[in-house]
């Protein structure tokens, strides 16, 4: 069996991440996959020459559980097979890119990017906000394009509140989005591995419009409809993911794709549903390596 590495971020030390990495390493051992955990700060490259500053010949694949896109691209340039690919992670890590990649292919909330400005330049009179609010309706959701666990997602009840949020994040890539009221405080997370639905849970939060468990929400096993499963499977396929978590909103028009997570945490999913996500990921990787 080829030797690989679990690529993680060297600057993230929360216990939830450590627990997730332990679960992946244990699952790899059960599947007889030779793997070492390596952090991104130990995998340095000279990007001018493409020369790695570590012994890359020891490895032939990587489980890319980070969002250091440059690192992923350089590893792939050296011939490593990454699960997930740098391109797929990049598309998921930027919510605007996710929606643009799936535009016209899958149902999603109405979404308008915040026009780009520059640090210390600002947004001027923000005439764009009035046009966006008329199109999206109020309240509206504002999201930083890069964010996790719902921490960079904001609710604006008025244009004034929206302007305050956007000005406070000057030059940060953001999107403005239709607020799907019937899904406030609840959504569906579907975990897909190797083109198969491995588990689904409904997340609920009675104290916040964001359903994320990290924000105090709770999860319970959920049986997705055929339409929801199709939406999740197509999102993962179109974005080129080997595995990922797909968040779906309830709406009067049917399920809407909210976002796609390339490195979705799965402890809550496993606890709520009994699904063996880490094992499924490793079994899929083993099958791909054996081809």
């Amino acid at each position: 069996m080829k030797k690989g590495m679990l690529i993680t971020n060297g600057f993230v030390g929360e216990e939830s991440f450590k627990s997730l990495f332990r679960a992946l390493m244990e699952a790899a051992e059960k599947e007889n996959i030779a793997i070492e955990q390596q952090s991104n700060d130990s995998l340095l490259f000279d990007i001018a020459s493409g020369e790695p500053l570590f012994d890359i010949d020891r490895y032939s694949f990587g489980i890319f559980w980070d969002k250091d896109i440059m690192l992923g691209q350089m590893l792939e340039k050296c011939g490593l097979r990454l699960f997930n690919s740098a391109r797929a992670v990049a598309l998921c890590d930027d919510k605007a890119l996710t929606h643009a990649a799936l535009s016209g292919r899958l149902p999603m909330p109405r979404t308008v990017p915040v026009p780009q400005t520059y640090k210390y330049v600002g947004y001027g009179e923000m005439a764009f906000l009035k046009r966006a609010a008329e199109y999206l309706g109020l309240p509206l959701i504002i999201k930083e394009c890069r964010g996790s666990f719902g921490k960079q997602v904001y609710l604006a009840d008025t244009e004034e509140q929206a302007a305050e949020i956007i000005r406070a994040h000057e030059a940060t890539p953001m999107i403005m989005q239709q607020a799907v009221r019937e899904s406030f405080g609840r959504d569906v997370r579907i975990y897909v591995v190797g083109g198969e639905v491995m588990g689904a849970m409904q997340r609920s939060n009675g104290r916040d419009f964001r359903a994320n468990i990290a924000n105090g929400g709770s999860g319970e096993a959920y049986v997705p409809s055929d339409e929801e499963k199709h939406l999740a499977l197509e999102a993962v396929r179109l974005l080129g993911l080997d595995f990922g978590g797909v968040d779906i909103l309830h709406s009067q028009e049917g399920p809407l794709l909210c976002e796609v997570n390339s490195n979705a945490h799965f402890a809550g999913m496993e606890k709520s549903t009994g699904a063996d996500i880490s094992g499924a990921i490793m079994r899929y990787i083993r099958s791909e390596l054996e081809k």
Side-chain angles (χ1 to χ4, degrees):
M1 175 66 70
K2 301 174 183 177
K3 188 170 188 176
M5 48 181 159
L6 172 61
I7 303 158
T8 63
N9 190 281
F11 308 103
V12 176
E14 286 86 345
E15 179 56 36
S16 61
F17 283 87
K18 293 179 180 179
S19 177
L20 183 150
F21 300 147
R22 286 195 297 269
L24 289 169
M25 295 294 289
E26 290 169 3
E29 184 177 0
K30 289 180 182 178
E31 296 299 323
N32 294 315
I33 297 175
I35 196 167
E36 296 177 357
Q37 184 175 345
Q38 294 286 356
S39 59
N40 67 324
D41 57 322
S42 68
L43 303 175
L44 300 183
F45 274 89
D46 175 355
I47 61 173
S49 66
E51 187 71 21
L53 306 186
F54 62 97
D55 185 7
I56 197 171
D57 293 333
R58 298 174 57 199
Y59 309 105
S60 58
F61 71 95
I63 304 173
F64 190 37
W65 216 279
D66 192 22
K67 299 178 180 180
D68 192 331
I69 304 304
M70 178 62 71
L71 171 60
Q73 291 173 336
M74 297 306 296
L75 290 170
E76 289 175 330
K77 190 173 182 179
C78 289
L80 269 69
R81 163 74 156 96
L82 294 186
F83 305 88
N84 289 296
S85 72
R87 177 182 180 275
V89 173
L91 289 175
C92 293
D93 187 39
D94 186 319
K95 294 176 175 62
L97 292 182
T98 303
H99 285 76
L102 301 177
S103 175
R105 298 181 172 189
L106 298 176
M108 297 179 284
R110 296 189 299 275
T111 303
V112 177
V114 174
Q116 178 179 314
T117 188
Y118 303 96
K119 195 71 173 175
Y120 308 120
V121 172
Y123 292 97
E125 296 181 0
M126 300 185 76
F128 70 87
L129 179 55
K130 182 174 181 60
R131 293 176 60 191
E134 290 174 349
Y135 175 68
L136 298 171
L138 291 169
L140 60 82
I141 305 295
I142 300 173
K143 299 179 179 179
E144 296 180 39
C145 287
R146 292 182 173 87
S148 302
F149 309 115
K151 293 180 180 179
Q152 294 81 21
V153 179
Y154 315 97
L155 178 66
D157 290 312
T158 65
E159 285 185 39
E160 291 73 20
Q161 288 180 0
E164 183 178 347
I165 292 167
I166 292 171
R167 289 188 190 279
H169 296 84
E170 178 181 294
T172 299
M174 304 184 81
I175 58 174
M176 300 171 284
Q177 199 165 66
Q178 166 196 2
V180 183
R181 290 176 179 270
E182 50 268 41
S183 204
F184 274 18
R186 68 188 186 110
D187 67 7
V188 172
R189 161 71 60 87
I190 297 179
Y191 218 110
V192 176
V193 179
E196 296 184 26
V197 172
M198 301 308 303
M201 67 176 177
Q202 179 161 269
R203 302 184 298 185
S204 303
N205 190 333
R207 301 182 300 277
D208 199 303
F209 73 97
R210 299 163 296 184
N212 304 73
I213 293 177
N215 284 330
S218 60
E220 61 180 0
Y222 179 80
V223 179
S225 67
D226 290 343
E227 191 175 4
E228 289 167 333
K229 287 191 286 188
H230 174 75
L231 187 55
L233 291 169
E234 277 296 282
V236 167
R237 183 185 71 82
L238 290 169
L239 294 171
L241 291 166
D242 296 298
F243 50 83
V246 181
D247 296 343
I248 296 174
L249 302 177
H250 304 283
S251 83
Q252 294 179 350
E253 292 76 32
L256 298 176
L257 181 76
C258 179
E259 60 184 63
V260 184
N261 305 274
S262 60
N263 302 339
H265 283 222
F266 48 73
M269 175 75 71
E270 291 186 333
K271 181 178 180 181
S272 300
T273 68
D276 179 17
I277 303 298
S278 57
I281 290 173
M282 291 303 166
R283 287 189 291 274
Y284 168 75
I285 290 174
R286 185 184 64 185
S287 69
E288 288 295 297
L289 296 175
E290 290 174 348
K291 288 183 178 178

